[in-house]
Amino acid sequence: MNRLYEKAFEYKQTKLWKKLADSQLVAVEHSDGTIGYCSIMGMLGQHIALAVYPGEEGLRTLRNLCYNSPFDPIWITREKRVSQNCVSCSFENMDELHESEKSSLRAYCSSHNIRLRGKNSCPKFEKMQPYHVPWFLKDETDKKYLEEALGACIDLSKQFKNKVLSVSDLYDGVEEGQEVILAKVLPDGTFQWSSTVLPDFDDEEYEADVNFSEVLAAKVRRSKKHGADWMCDVFLCPTPVYGENVDENISDELRKVPFLPLLSIILNSEGKAVSCDSCSAEENYAKHFTERALRDMLDTGKPKKITVMNERTYNMYLKLAKYLGIELVFEDYCSELEGAEDQLYYSMENGLPDEFDEMELSDEEKEYMSEFINSVEDFSQLGDIELAALYYAATAMSLEIPENKFSLLKKEVERRSSQM
């Protein structure tokens, strides 16, 4: 880890994040020939970090994050965040590090006569992989990629200082075909600078040919029991699973990475829950959830129609719906599903998610916000972020707003949500 600490402290001296936005990517051709895409974070001063996204797959997870909408439900936003595929070096306070990280950092600082001063002074190295909790950086290849990326950004700062390159040489954006600067790691550890273009943006593809129990499906097909229509969705659970039968004597950093399972929720046409189930995304979740749906159909009756609101759930039910003669409908927005998922998500989070913890209004601010909402004549003229903030304040802060005014606000939010 010594090389990583060395590069991390040197990188922090560059203060590169004060010059570059996180969407001004730097591509690095690693010593093994693979490409990593670096996002330099910290311009707003809140989260100082360098993240390296490996290849096209890593870049796709970054693009999903960049294309986030303020009207996405919180579970979709959270899923995009925990679906990142990258390694990162961030700078935290000492109390935000694990005990093993504190011990390692203190040993390095002591042997190199380094004094840690102020906020965000402690390097923290993490591995992020889809549907898992950010975890300790253990793989030697990942460490090498992060070390080379830090080195490239340190060299980039020198290029700026020597006026060989300038900030204007770094293009802003993650779109396909976008030109970005490229640092090739040479055998002697130096860097050769050129440019490249970002690859095409391929959406995540979900398996549509889902195998399910033919015995269960045949029973449902022969059954004469019919039930209410369904509304179904599959989304990310906010509570991590740490695995079973783990030896308590094993240190945390050596344990298996905790994962975040997927949840399947089924409502009937009256908005009442039929079932809720969970499964690891790395397992055959589609088979697991469709077979649970078949058992539910045997209990409550086969629906004539199933409404879903994302591609993952649509593909999951496609083969089963055809086999059973059920109409499968894709809708961009379903208020019953979103309401139920809100309740379930927040109950598992023990309240509002972290992103909103800091949004507390004084009585004067609440009064001002209420008056502002009441004064708006046309909510369609507001920007997305402003509208989302007003809607959150109106629903979460118990503001005094006339029923007709709140109805207009909610209607505009639902209209924009359906267009996402």
Side-chain angles (χ1 to χ4, degrees):
M1 296 292 288
N2 282 359
R3 286 285 294 168
L4 273 177
Y5 281 127
E6 177 188 341
K7 292 297 182 184
F9 282 116
E10 191 175 351
Y11 169 76
K12 194 166 190 292
Q13 293 298 315
T14 68
K15 298 189 182 337
L16 207 55
W17 58 88
K18 292 189 175 182
K19 301 175 183 177
L20 300 176
D22 56 9
S23 54
Q24 289 179 284
L25 303 187
V26 178
V28 177
E29 183 177 334
H30 295 293
S31 52
D32 64 0
T34 61
I35 302 290
Y37 299 94
C38 304
S39 174
I40 296 167
M41 293 168 273
M43 180 168 279
L44 298 179
Q46 295 177 325
H47 180 62
I48 300 171
L50 171 67
V52 190
Y53 295 82
E56 294 185 21
E57 176 57 28
L59 181 61
R60 182 180 62 79
T61 67
L62 173 61
R63 282 168 163 161
N64 282 337
L65 195 60
C66 291
Y67 296 150
N68 191 41
S69 163
F71 291 105
D72 281 341
I74 186 59
W75 59 88
I76 292 180
T77 300
R78 183 67 63 84
E79 180 169 344
K80 289 179 179 180
R81 290 180 182 174
V82 303
S83 295
Q84 293 182 80
N85 179 2
C86 66
V87 291
S88 74
C89 169
S90 61
F91 294 90
E92 315 289 349
N93 298 327
M94 182 65 79
D95 60 5
E96 295 174 294
L97 303 185
H98 184 270
E99 288 303 320
S100 63
E101 294 172 316
K102 293 177 184 178
S103 176
S104 176
L105 176 59
R106 284 168 176 157
Y108 178 84
C109 291
S110 176
S111 63
H112 291 78
N113 197 28
I114 295 174
R115 295 185 64 183
L116 300 171
R117 294 188 179 92
K119 294 176 60 178
N120 304 323
S121 60
C122 303
K124 181 180 178 67
F125 309 113
E126 289 183 304
K127 167 74 172 180
M128 300 181 189
Q129 52 186 315
Y131 304 110
H132 288 79
V133 172
W135 207 238
F136 303 93
L137 191 61
K138 296 184 288 187
D139 185 84
E140 292 303 318
T141 299
D142 288 335
K143 292 178 182 178
K144 187 67 174 177
Y145 288 164
L146 185 54
E147 179 187 325
E148 291 178 344
L150 286 166
C153 290
I154 292 166
D155 192 72
L156 177 61
S157 179
K158 294 176 182 177
Q159 301 296 316
F160 287 164
K161 186 176 181 179
N162 296 330
K163 298 184 178 180
V164 178
L165 291 172
S166 67
V167 173
S168 62
D169 292 322
L170 277 77
Y171 300 91
D172 191 356
V174 297
E175 295 79 13
E176 56 189 49
Q178 175 69 62
E179 186 175 0
V180 296
I181 62 171
L182 171 69
K184 180 178 180 179
V185 181
L186 299 178
D188 63 358
T190 59
F191 299 90
Q192 181 182 74
W193 290 92
S194 59
S195 64
T196 186
V197 295
L198 298 181
D200 291 347
F201 184 20
D202 295 324
D203 289 325
E204 184 173 359
E205 296 183 1
Y206 300 102
E207 177 63 48
D209 186 21
V210 177
N211 293 320
F212 45 80
S213 169
E214 294 181 3
V215 174
L216 279 175
K219 285 183 180 180
V220 173
R221 194 173 186 179
R222 291 194 301 268
S223 175
K224 296 181 180 180
K225 187 176 182 180
H226 295 283
D229 292 342
W230 280 5
M231 296 170 284
C232 307
D233 198 16
V234 174
F235 65 105
L236 188 73
C237 175
T239 307
V241 176
Y242 285 83
E244 299 176 356
N245 302 320
V246 177
D247 188 342
E248 292 182 358
N249 295 320
I250 297 178
S251 59
D252 286 347
E253 64 268 29
L254 297 179
R255 293 176 187 265
K256 189 175 180 180
V257 184
F259 68 89
L260 293 157
L262 293 171
L263 292 177
S264 169
I265 185 170
I266 300 175
L267 306 179
N268 62 23
S269 55
E270 297 178 351
K272 295 182 179 179
V274 175
S275 69
C276 181
D277 200 2
S278 66
C279 183
S280 167
E282 293 184 337
E283 298 175 18
N284 193 341
Y285 71 87
K287 183 176 187 294
H288 179 91
F289 289 150
T290 51
E291 292 189 351
R292 173 59 189 267
L294 286 168
R295 291 192 294 272
D296 290 335
M297 290 179 193
L298 289 173
D299 289 339
T300 65
K302 184 178 73 172
K304 290 183 179 180
K305 181 174 74 172
I306 296 177
T307 299
V308 301
M309 61 177 190
N310 64 52
E311 187 178 351
R312 174 171 53 202
T313 314
Y314 183 87
N315 282 15
M316 187 181 83
Y317 280 114
L318 185 59
K319 183 177 179 181
L320 180 63
K322 286 182 179 179
Y323 179 81
L324 297 176
I326 297 173
E327 181 185 5
L328 185 62
V329 177
F330 187 107
E331 291 187 1
D332 291 323
Y333 178 75
C334 177
S335 59
E336 293 89 350
L337 273 175
E338 287 207 2
E341 290 170 10
D342 264 339
Q343 269 193 323
L344 184 60
Y345 195 98
Y346 293 154
S347 66
M348 299 184 78
E349 277 273 298
N350 296 316
L352 289 171
D354 295 341
E355 289 86 340
F356 296 119
D357 283 349
E358 296 179 0
M359 190 171 177
E360 297 181 1
L361 301 181
S362 66
D363 290 340
E364 292 78 9
E365 289 171 325
K366 287 182 180 180
E367 183 178 353
Y368 170 80
M369 189 71 78
S370 297
E371 291 177 355
F372 182 83
I373 294 174
N374 291 332
S375 69
V376 177
E377 296 182 358
D378 186 358
F379 289 106
S380 67
Q381 299 302 309
L382 299 179
D384 284 353
I385 295 176
E386 188 176 18
L387 183 68
L390 290 181
Y391 183 66
Y392 169 73
T395 54
M397 298 296 181
S398 302
L399 301 183
E400 295 183 5
I401 302 171
E403 184 68 30
N404 64 325
K405 183 65 71 169
F406 178 75
S407 178
L408 291 173
L409 173 60
K410 183 178 179 182
K411 185 176 180 180
E412 177 61 20
V413 169
E414 291 178 349
R415 184 187 71 81
R416 295 197 199 182
S417 297
S418 67
Q419 295 176 348
M420 296 301 167

